[in-house]
Amino acid sequence: MIQDNYRAVEARVAAACRRAGRMREDVTLIAVSKTKPVEMVRELQEIGVVDFGENHAQELVTKTEAIPEKLNWHFIGHLQRNKVKYVVGRACLIHSVSSLRLAEEIRKESEKKGLVTPVLIEVNIADESTKSGISAEEAIQLVRQVAELPGLSIRGLMAIAPPVEDPEENRGYFRQMRELKETIAGLHLPGVSMEELSMGMTGDFEVAIEEGATMVRVGTAIFGARQMMQRRKRKTTQSF
Ligand SMILES: *Cc1c(COP(=O)(O)O)cnc(C)c1O
């Protein structure tokens, strides 16, 4: 069933790429497996899926230990500095860097492990006070600062759009993200790549692709609904 769900989402990704005149290989579909059991990840592994998304450090550790094969684990959640040590070296990309303090911690841990950690700068595009994150202007400043740090390499930007009934409501936000990515790319900062734009979830990934997403993070449409989690401490109106 999960394999069928994945194939259905894959078909929608491919169709959105065609509509937008984009190549299918320019968009990575990340299966967001957070809160879901390892068996479900294995089901998708069977059909060749390698990109998975997690948003808790402990769960990332548990899953990477249970699955010895090398997969691309994307860290997409709010990352506390004391959890950085669990994520550096396990995640192929940390999507959610929104402060210099966090970037410093990733630098420290990466240098300790002799790694360069690929990261995205997370922008709070809708400026909702319930979410962590920084504004577009702050993002430009943060990119400049993080670019100076060894041990990290900036690959692009990430955004979480607000939950909406009609995905068209988020089109403007996605467009703003693409414009911000182009603005930053135009600064030609040494060591900064603006190749990746991680945006779009179950409710709006097709619109995000039409507006330039290079990574979409899809959970519910593949794995089914998640239980609301008690262990989340941050206030949020969303079920992730
Ligand atoms: C949970 C989560 C997703 C996936 O959300 P769905 O609506 O279930 O597709 C995507 N991005 C982030 C940052 C998440 O935390």
Side-chain angles (χ1 to χ4, degrees):
M1 190 201 70
I2 285 165
Q3 294 182 350
D4 293 338
N5 292 348
Y6 183 88
R7 290 194 183 98
V9 171
E10 166 55 39
R12 289 168 61 191
V13 168
C17 287
R18 276 196 299 278
R19 276 199 302 281
R22 303 182 58 197
M23 308 272 278
R24 172 64 191 89
E25 53 267 40
D26 292 345
V27 180
T28 302
L29 169 56
I30 299 169
V32 177
S33 48
K34 66 184 183 192
T35 81
K36 299 295 183 180
V38 161
E39 291 68 40
M40 288 188 178
V41 173
R42 290 209 180 284
E43 279 189 53
L44 291 185
Q45 253 189 301
E46 278 174 28
I47 57 168
V49 177
V50 293
D51 287 283
F52 293 91
E54 290 290 334
N55 73 337
H56 279 97
Q58 188 50 56
E59 198 174 340
L60 177 68
V61 172
T62 307
K63 283 184 177 150
T64 52
E65 283 175 356
I67 300 175
E69 293 84 3
K70 188 167 163 16
L71 297 173
N72 299 332
W73 293 101
H74 297 256
F75 194 85
I76 61 173
H78 176 71
L79 181 54
Q80 289 163 311
R81 279 177 299 142
N82 62 354
K83 301 286 169 61
V84 163
K85 57 180 176 289
Y86 303 116
V87 173
V88 167
R90 284 195 171 87
C92 65
L93 181 64
I94 300 177
H95 289 230
S96 42
V97 173
S98 59
S99 75
L100 186 57
R101 271 153 53 105
L102 175 60
E104 287 278 11
E105 195 63 37
I106 295 171
R107 173 194 66 81
K108 243 191 270 168
E109 191 62 28
S110 301
E111 290 198 313
K112 201 192 277 179
K113 291 179 173 152
L115 300 171
V116 175
T117 302
V119 302
L120 305 180
I121 301 298
E122 178 177 353
V123 183
N124 187 353
I125 195 66
D127 200 28
E128 287 173 280
S129 49
T130 50
K131 278 190 220 145
S132 62
I134 52 173
S135 69
E137 298 91 85
E138 289 166 330
I140 297 178
Q141 180 61 21
L142 184 60
V143 168
R144 287 185 191 281
Q145 291 170 323
V146 174
E148 301 289 321
L149 301 178
L152 292 86
S153 113
I154 300 179
R155 299 292 165 84
L157 304 177
M158 181 270 217
I160 303 175
V164 288
E165 290 279 307
D166 176 2
E168 287 298 330
E169 291 175 52
N170 281 337
R171 189 179 291 277
Y173 290 133
F174 294 142
R175 196 168 291 168
Q176 281 174 45
M177 284 300 297
R178 190 188 52 206
E179 286 165 5
L180 180 61
K181 169 185 180 249
E182 281 160 13
T183 300
I184 297 174
L187 300 173
H188 302 292
L189 301 169
V192 173
S193 150
M194 279 288 130
E195 235 159 76
E196 303 292 356
L197 194 47
S198 168
M199 58 187 192
M201 309 177 18
T202 290
D204 55 18
F205 68 87
E206 288 146 307
V207 172
I209 290 170
E210 289 167 12
E211 295 301 330
T214 66
M215 295 179 156
V216 291
R217 311 175 306 262
V218 180
T220 308
I222 296 173
F223 294 100
R226 288 176 296 275
Q227 309 264 232
M228 285 289 268
M229 283 188 300
Q230 260 78 49
R231 63 185 159 120
R232 271 196 98 77
K233 287 194 216 83
R234 284 196 305 152
K235 261 188 267 161
T236 170
T237 53
Q238 284 176 286
S239 62
F240 60 74

